[in-house]
Amino acid sequence: MLKARGTGPMTAIETEELRKRFRGVNAVDGVDLSVPEGAIYGFLGPNGAGKTTTIRLLLGLLRPNRGRIAIFGENLKTKRRRALKSVGVAFETPAHYEHLTGRENLDITRRLLKLEKTEIDRVLDTVELTHVANRLVRKYSLGMRHRLGLARALLGQPKLLIFDEPTNGLDPVGIREMREFIKTLPARTGATVFVSSHHLAEIEQIASHVAVINLGQIVFQGEMTALRGLHAPRLEIAGNDLDAVSLFLSQTELAPTKKDGKLVITLSAAESAEREAAQINRNLVDAGFDIHHLVIAPWRLEELFLQLVGAKPLLASNADRREPEC
Ligand code: ATP
């Protein structure tokens, strides 16, 4: 059930059974999203998973075949203007007027939104483009163009910011800058941030909440810590005579496997990982083994992702996604 306004804590985005079909293919297939206010919500999935289609549905740029969308409790279908009033958006390849300056580009949107002129200085300052505000956009670097796209999204102080693959095409420095920028947005602006990416490690570094989409369906939704907590961490061990170490550990009911010249043990739970690791360390030293590496290695999101989608392919052909004809 979509939450009515004024009943309990507000969700920034809520969707129910959202579906979008293109020529018999479900690009978005029964998606229920719940984005808490104040979150940085990572929307993760491989190319073609349905991220951009979902975002276009959330923005009312596409009409769903089925399902409902509420933005801060306002039904997008019946209260479209009110629902979208509080949303700022930046697409992966921001389109600007090349022959105009950054300031002039922002001024076009400012006029459309009927905002004060001072709003331009505010957003330029937020994205740190004040020093190039009067430069033609065609002379901007790619990173500056992306930041100008974000500045436009920030005009009017929206309560919800939607960024579609904001780091696409950026170099490593640009990616880091964008990541740091997004990370500080809720604290600086009070906005909820919904950010899509196929870059798992990136989302892991910025998001408080995450949804994983594959083949148009959500395979995980929740707090980032819950995603990490789904799987126990592993202990990596390296030292002299690993075969003997492995045999010793097997006798204590642990099941080490060998990987890249190290032994890997799956610990029982994240909460007890340090205690378990310390005990294993003590046992090995007491038994006289020479250990020079003993590290708790959390699961990487990439590995979790593969586990979540299981045996399903990360991307099927459109024929595989076609609905059976009725
Ligand atoms: P990417 O990261 O590559 O942008 P994505 O997760 O955003 O991928 P979508 O762009 O939403 O994925 O595409 C989901 C599926 O829907 C794909 O199979 C795509 O080919 C299909 N699709 C998207 N838009 C259309 C359209 N306008 N007409 C037909 N099929 C479409």
Side-chain angles (χ1 to χ4, degrees):
M1 276 285 286
L2 286 185
K3 212 172 275 165
R5 291 182 73 227
T7 56
M10 187 58 79
T11 42
I13 302 173
E14 201 162 4
T15 72
E16 195 179 80
E17 282 287 306
L18 201 57
R19 173 179 291 176
K20 181 66 192 175
R21 206 165 33 232
F22 293 117
R23 292 186 219 105
V25 177
N26 286 330
V28 171
D29 191 4
V31 163
D32 295 330
L33 294 179
S34 182
V35 179
E37 191 170 10
I40 296 184
Y41 187 97
F43 192 43
L44 266 176
N47 290 331
K51 303 182 296 296
T52 301
T53 306
T54 304
I55 287 177
R56 297 183 71 199
L57 290 167
L58 295 177
L59 295 168
L61 299 172
L62 283 175
R63 203 183 299 193
N65 295 94
R66 200 172 120 188
R68 294 202 290 161
I69 300 170
I71 313 263
F72 290 108
E74 304 287 0
N75 189 316
L76 186 63
K77 194 170 171 191
T78 54
K79 301 267 172 55
R80 185 187 167 91
R81 190 182 283 260
R82 284 178 72 145
L84 294 179
K85 193 173 66 127
S86 45
V87 183
V89 60
F91 286 104
E92 64 181 290
T93 339
H96 305 298
Y97 293 104
E98 299 281 315
H99 62 292
L100 299 181
T101 65
R103 182 182 292 281
E104 287 165 343
N105 266 277
L106 292 173
D107 200 45
I108 294 171
T109 312
R110 178 195 71 80
R111 283 165 193 246
L112 285 171
L113 297 175
K114 299 188 175 68
L115 302 170
E116 296 288 321
K117 273 206 152 170
T118 50
E119 188 58 4
I120 293 186
D121 291 314
R122 187 187 68 79
V123 296
L124 282 169
D125 183 51
T126 309
V127 302
E128 294 172 16
L129 282 183
T130 306
H131 62 298
V132 289
N134 298 321
R135 190 184 289 177
L136 296 181
V137 165
R138 70 163 168 263
K139 296 186 175 159
Y140 273 24
S141 69
L142 196 61
M144 288 175 184
R145 284 160 197 260
H146 271 67
R147 296 219 301 273
L148 187 61
L150 297 192
R152 191 164 49 202
L154 292 171
L155 281 170
Q157 307 193 31
K159 287 198 295 174
L160 172 63
L161 292 163
I162 296 183
F163 300 145
D164 190 14
E165 306 253 6
T167 56
N168 257 12
L170 294 180
D171 62 17
V173 176
I175 290 174
R176 198 173 58 233
E177 274 178 14
M178 187 61 74
R179 198 166 58 217
E180 292 309 310
F181 175 74
I182 292 174
K183 224 157 125 177
T184 60
L185 271 176
R188 282 198 292 168
T189 67
T192 304
V193 180
F194 181 95
V195 52
S196 79
S197 176
H198 59 271
H199 226 282
L200 310 173
E202 217 169 274
I203 289 295
E204 189 175 23
Q205 291 179 57
I206 60 173
S208 58
H209 295 71
V210 63
V212 181
I213 185 168
N214 187 48
L215 302 175
Q217 296 180 343
I218 300 297
V219 291
F220 176 87
Q221 179 170 224
E223 293 186 15
M224 182 59 85
T225 46
L227 180 61
R228 288 203 198 95
L230 282 181
H231 300 276
R234 292 157 307 172
L235 187 68
E236 287 179 359
I237 300 171
N240 297 337
D241 202 358
L242 277 190
D243 287 338
V245 174
S246 177
L247 188 64
F248 174 80
L249 290 171
S250 307
Q251 285 160 359
T252 59
E253 292 186 6
L254 293 167
T257 54
K258 215 168 184 179
K259 195 174 171 221
D260 302 330
K262 299 187 186 88
L263 292 179
V264 180
I265 298 168
T266 302
L267 301 172
S268 43
E271 309 79 63
S272 56
E274 289 182 2
R275 211 169 45 245
E276 282 181 72
Q279 183 62 52
I280 292 168
N281 186 28
R282 200 174 306 121
N283 292 348
L284 290 172
V285 172
D286 286 350
F289 290 108
D290 256 352
I291 302 299
H292 57 72
H293 173 98
L294 192 130
V295 174
I296 298 172
W299 288 86
R300 287 169 47 232
L301 209 50
E302 277 85 348
E303 295 166 303
L304 291 185
F305 187 76
L306 286 172
Q307 294 225 344
L308 284 171
V309 300
K312 278 192 193 172
L314 288 189
L315 189 61
S317 71
N318 280 350
D320 299 333
R321 298 168 77 169
R322 209 171 287 277
E323 274 210 329
E325 302 291 340
C326 301

